């Protein structure tokens, strides 16, 4: 089973890297962008045929390692 986990900063959390990316885009004359927020994407393969068990495993991975749940949100997509 394949899965994708997307981790993003929670609303209201400062994103200095996003601001730096936005400034870099503007310096490249890409002016129509604003509010840039950066995040992380993890593509994984999970050895399970049980979707509920796979979700539980992936949630544990997010909670324990992949996301700092104090300042980040995550979504899990299973294909």
């Amino acid at each position: 089973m394949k899965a994708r986990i997307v981790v993003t900063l929670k609303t209201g959390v400062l994103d200095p890297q996003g601001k730096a990316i936005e400034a870099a885009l503007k310096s490249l004359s890409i002016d129509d962008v604003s509010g840039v927020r950066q995040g992380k994407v993890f593509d994984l393969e999970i050895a399970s045929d049980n979707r509920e068990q796979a979700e539980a495993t992936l949630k544990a991975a997010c909670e324990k390692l992949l996301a700092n749940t104090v300042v980040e949100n995550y979504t899990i997509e299973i294909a």
Side-chain angles (χ1 to χ4, degrees):
M1 202 176 294
K2 293 186 182 207
R4 174 169 280 180
I5 297 170
V6 178
V7 180
T8 56
L9 288 170
K10 291 182 177 181
T11 303
V13 174
L14 295 177
D15 186 357
Q17 189 172 2
K19 289 289 184 195
I21 293 166
E22 185 175 330
L25 289 169
K26 289 188 187 306
S27 75
L28 296 170
S29 299
I30 302 172
D31 297 320
D32 294 339
V33 296
S34 64
V36 176
R37 308 276 290 171
Q38 66 87 34
K40 302 176 273 191
V41 175
F42 300 94
D43 289 321
L44 304 99
E45 291 188 26
I46 186 159
S48 177
D49 293 332
N50 182 317
R51 189 176 182 86
E52 289 178 9
Q53 182 182 16
E55 277 189 39
T57 299
L58 294 168
K59 183 177 179 189
C62 290
E63 299 282 332
K64 293 179 179 179
L65 177 66
L66 301 179
N68 176 351
T69 57
V70 173
V71 294
E72 295 175 318
N73 293 317
Y74 63 87
T75 58
I76 298 171
E77 304 166 14
I78 298 176

